[in-house]
Structure formats: C-alpha cells, structure tokens
Amino acid sequence: MLAEIPSAGISLGQWSWLLSALALAAAFAASTHALIYKREPRSAALWTVIIWLLPTIGPILYLFLGINRVRRRAIVLREDMVRHQSASKLTAQTVVLESDDEATETPKPLSNLAALVERVTQRPLLAGNQIDPLMNGDEIYPAMLKAIEGAQRSIALASYIFDGTGVGARFVEALDRARRRGVAVRVLIDDVYVRFSRRSACKPLRRLGVPVGIFNPPLVPARLQAAHLRNHRKLLIVDGHTGFTGGANIFEPYWRPESPEAAQRDLHFCIRGPVVRHLTEVFVDDWQFATGEALRDEKWFPELDPLGDMAARGFEAGPDESLDRLRWVFIGGINAAHRTIRVWTPYFVPDTALIAALNAAALRGVEVDILLPERSDHASVQWAATAQLWQILEHGCRVWRNSGPFDHSKLFLVDGAWATFGSANWDARSLRLNFEFNVECYNRRFVSRLESIFLRRRAAARQVTLQEVNARPLGVKLRDGAARLFAPYL
C-alpha cells in the first residue's frame, strides 16, 4: 500500500525520481538565467551557488528575490508613452564650448563631458540661462510661494513629499488661489508618500478642486515594485518660464521660522531661460503617465528667450530606458576632473564603479572631498555608508561630516567649472530604482559661487579619518556590515 499509489500507478520511488528531475531542471533554468542576465559577476556566482546547493529551495528564492522585476515593471509601465521633447532654437552647445568669455569657456575635458552627457541623455545643452541657488527652507519656500502667487497661466508642481500641514498648508492655499484666478494648476505626488503619510497634501488639494496626479499607484499596497519605483523628482514650473528644482521636498522639518537654527537644511535652485523647457518636458511626461492628460499648448511651453550666460541641460533618470544614466554622468564628471571634485550628498552608498572612479581621481592627484551629514535621517543608510568609507579613505579621498540639523543638500562640482544638482543621491536607490531629475551646467562664475558655499560648509564640518573608521567596535562594524548587504535597496 505504502510502496505504490494505485490511482496513478506510480511508485514512491518513481515519484522521488520525477521530483528530483524537476528540481534539477528548475535549478538548471534558474542558474542559466542568473549567468546570462545578472550584471554583476559576483551576484551571478552567488546565486548559482545558492541554486545548486539548495536545488529545491534555491530556484524558488531566485524566482522571488533574484530576478530584477523593477526595471521590467518600469519599462512596461511607460513603454507605450510618446515622450515629449519640444524644439528649441537655442541648442547652442558649440557656441558655449567655443566661447572666448572666461566665465563660460569650457576646458577640453569638460567639452568631452558635455558630449558624453548629450549622448547619454539625448537632450541638448542650452545656452542663455540664469540659475540662482536657494539655501534652506527660509529661502526656498518663500521664493517658490512668490512664484506661485505671481503665476498667470500655468503651474506644474511635482514633489515626492508634499505635506498638507505647516508650510505645506501655505502651498495648498496658494495653489488654490491660483486655480480660482484661472491659472491651470497640476500637482503630481508620488504614491508611496500619499499612501503612507497622514499629512499628505493630496486630500486637501482635491477637496479644493486642484487637479492632483498620483505617480504609479500599486494594485496591492504592499507590492514591492511600487515601493521601489518612486518618483523622487522635485519640480515647480510657473508659466513655463520659471523653474525650481533641487533636493527640497515640501516638508515641515525644513521650515522652522520660530527657531531657524533647528530647521533641517537643503539646497534648491531657481532657473530661468531655455533650460526650463527640460523641466517642463519631464513633468508633462510624468503627468501624462499618471493621469492620461497630455499638456502641450503654449501655456506650458511658451517661447523662451535667453536670460543669462549659462549653458545648462536638464535630464531625467530612472529604472526604465534611462537606467544607468546618472551613473554615466557621475563617472563622466569624475573622469573629467583635473583639480577638484566636490560631492555633497545626504546618502553616500556608491557602487563599486563609482568607488573605483573616485579612488582613481584621488590617486592621480585630484582633490576629492565628500561632505555628508553627521547624523542621517535613516540610520540604516548611515550604517551602510560607514561600512564602506574605508574603501575611499585609504586611497586619498577626504570625507567630512556636517554637525547640526540633518543636511539633505545634493551637489556635485568639478574643477570649479561644472556642476550637477537635483534630486539624485549617491546611492543605489537614486542610481537604479527611483525616477530622478538633475541639471548640469557649465559656467565658472556660477560654479565658483557654489564651490564657495560648499567650502564654507566644509569649514564647519569635521574630517573623518581612516583610523576613526577602523577603530569602530566589533559590534558596530558587524552592524554596519550587515546594513551594507542591503545597500541596493536602501
């Protein structure tokens, strides 16, 4: 009775052979997929070992944890969308790169960088822009609110975090006033914040009749892909000619008028000129993806005249067809440096390619400074960052930590002549998982101004030494090392 299953006529021994054959076939299929599609050799090797050591459980683990569905999901979500790129008569890269003006003249290595970024981003470098930095909430929010109050035709606002309380309530009221005076208003908020925060501005805005789009709402609230596919961009475009972008969300901790010294810090930018068109193009694509509405007319895309002497380019990055775009731009900037590299970021968990590029720059004599907050708002990210600091400290890169309130600023400067800023951090989430937006610019006067801001902040920071990192207690090293294992998802 026990040796045979009469209904099927198959013995237990035969069942055992059949299940073993199926397990081996699954292991073969899973390991073949890992060997062909895994980008990192170490990851492919690790998964192959797991699959064959655990030929029943290993393929199941690989099916759910090893296959990168995030990029596939991102591509499928937007594959049928026609991206909007408007024409501009000011695509004057050659004018900028051959200028005799010392402020705008671009050294040869940065000319090569400009060519690289154009090929990677498929967007032109535009002449004639004016960009002004805004430091912290007490400069950022009043400037944005003033622009909204002065809007006459259109307002496009995208923010990963948009509180409806505190300073966010002022934005809600200003947007409603604009809508009531006939301005076309569109607000885009990422689903993750809307879903998991009670303070989101989504409901207050909708109650007032302001059109709100939710980026990538999941069918199942806990779906992993939706948690990864975040729209992390921060964009405000008013009347199609004044833009704001950078690191700042609309978030109460950055607005403390009663005690400004306790407010968290950030860096944002006000932009005027032809490059504002790039901000608008990215917003209208995201809006159409989220709502189905195409924004194309003149109130969103007016003719833009040159207003300054700066060459700039806006570019989007994300886990869809623009995957690795940020990594290429960052590596290109590092490789173009001859004198200085300044990295200012709240989250620093770079991959091996970026670590190698930074080390190579330091070894060839470039002064590499990395400015981080003393205390992160995400402890696990800080642990993972600390776990790999030795890799850059031992080759001559310098790391500094800011004391005081958490600093969310994002800035990358090369040789006092090139800068990129925006929503992107130096971590895997920005490099591979989030939808981001950055601007690059070529102008010595402007970049020198940003470098002065960086150096002032560095002067108030403390330098982290290799001895300090190596002297961490064993328990702390284990904690940091364990956090680093999850670096691709932090």
Side-chain angles (χ1 to χ4, degrees), residues 134 140-149 151 154-159 162 171 174-175 178 183-188 233-246 248 250 268-272 275-277 279-280 283 300 437:
L134 302 169
I140 297 166
Y141 297 140
M144 293 172 68
L145 287 166
K146 182 179 179 181
I148 291 171
E149 295 289 5
S154 65
I155 297 172
L157 172 62
S159 187
F162 188 170
F171 276 85
L175 291 166
V183 177
V185 179
R186 301 292 186 273
V187 177
L188 184 66
R233 295 164 182 156
K234 290 88 175 174
L235 300 168
L236 171 62
I237 308 103
V238 175
D239 291 337
H241 60 63
T242 300
F244 294 83
T245 195
I250 302 173
H268 220 61
F269 295 83
C270 177
I271 304 174
R272 296 179 178 86
V275 78
V276 174
R277 191 179 300 272
L279 280 68
T280 309
F283 178 89
W300 305 102
F437 182 84

Side-chain angles (χ1 to χ4, degrees), residues 303-322:
E303 191 62 48
L304 297 175
D305 296 321
L307 293 174
D309 62 356
M310 196 176 308
R313 171 175 18 231
F315 60 94
E316 71 274 33
D320 50 4
E321 69 273 14
S322 54

Side-chain angles (χ1 to χ4, degrees), residues 191-192 195-196 217-227:
D191 172 78
V192 171
R195 186 171 297 273
F196 296 110
L219 298 175
V220 180
R223 192 179 68 194
L224 182 62
Q225 296 100 307

Side-chain angles (χ1 to χ4, degrees), residues 1 13 16 65 73 78 135 185 292 308 354 367 398 410 463 483:
M1 297 278 300
S16 177
L65 301 177
R73 169 71 178 163
R78 295 158 71 101
M135 295 293 298
V185 179
L354 285 170
E367 186 178 274
R398 300 188 300 188
K410 312 165 199 294
Q463 187 171 359

Side-chain angles (χ1 to χ4, degrees), residues 250-457:
I250 302 173
F251 196 30
E252 193 168 3
Y254 296 88
W255 179 252
R256 300 281 178 85
E258 72 288 351
S259 54
E261 71 284 350
Q264 295 183 7
R265 302 165 178 169
D266 216 324
L267 181 62
H268 220 61
F269 295 83
C270 177
I271 304 174
R272 296 179 178 86
V275 78
V276 174
R277 191 179 300 272
H278 290 168
L279 280 68
T280 309
E281 288 170 358
V282 173
F283 178 89
V284 301
D285 278 352
D286 287 348
W287 180 261
Q288 184 175 358
F289 164 70
T291 69
E293 181 186 16
L295 309 175
R296 296 289 187 268
D297 61 33
E298 190 180 357
K299 65 174 170 284
W300 305 102
F301 291 98
E303 191 62 48
L304 297 175
D305 296 321
L307 293 174
D309 62 356
M310 196 176 308
R313 171 175 18 231
F315 60 94
E316 71 274 33
D320 50 4
E321 69 273 14
S322 54
L323 181 73
D324 285 335
R325 184 171 287 171
L326 272 170
R327 179 181 285 101
W328 284 114
V329 173
F330 284 179
I331 291 176
I334 295 168
N335 291 341
H338 277 197
R339 296 184 295 103
T340 58
I341 291 172
R342 318 290 193 193
V343 176
W344 189 357
T345 180
Y347 312 116
F348 185 71
V349 194
D351 58 22
T352 54
L354 285 170
I355 290 172
L358 289 168
N359 284 336
L363 289 170
R364 68 175 185 264
V366 177
E367 186 178 274
V368 180
D369 285 313
I370 299 157
L371 186 60
L372 310 174
E374 184 72 60
R375 291 282 183 271
S376 176
D377 60 341
H378 296 296
S380 59
V381 179
Q382 183 160 344
W383 299 340
T386 304
Q388 62 184 46
L389 284 183
W390 64 271
Q391 296 182 58
I392 58 172
L393 288 171
E394 70 176 1
H395 292 294
C397 298
R398 300 188 300 188
V399 176
W400 310 80
R401 287 203 181 275
N402 265 319
S403 60
F406 175 61
D407 192 337
H408 194 246
S409 305
K410 312 165 199 294
L411 187 64
F412 178 21
L413 309 174
V414 169
D415 287 351
W418 178 83
T420 184
F421 55 83
S423 64
N425 301 304
W426 285 61
D427 61 7
R429 183 162 293 283
S430 280
L431 291 169
R432 295 186 64 83
L433 300 175
N434 287 346
F435 294 94
E436 306 282 3
F437 182 84
N438 263 41
V439 173
E440 64 152 357
C441 55
Y442 300 76
N443 183 281
R444 290 186 183 278
R445 280 193 294 264
F446 175 67
V447 178
S448 294
R449 182 180 175 191
L450 295 180
E451 189 158 32
S452 297
I453 295 171
F454 177 95
L455 293 175
R456 285 199 301 271
R457 190 61 58 85

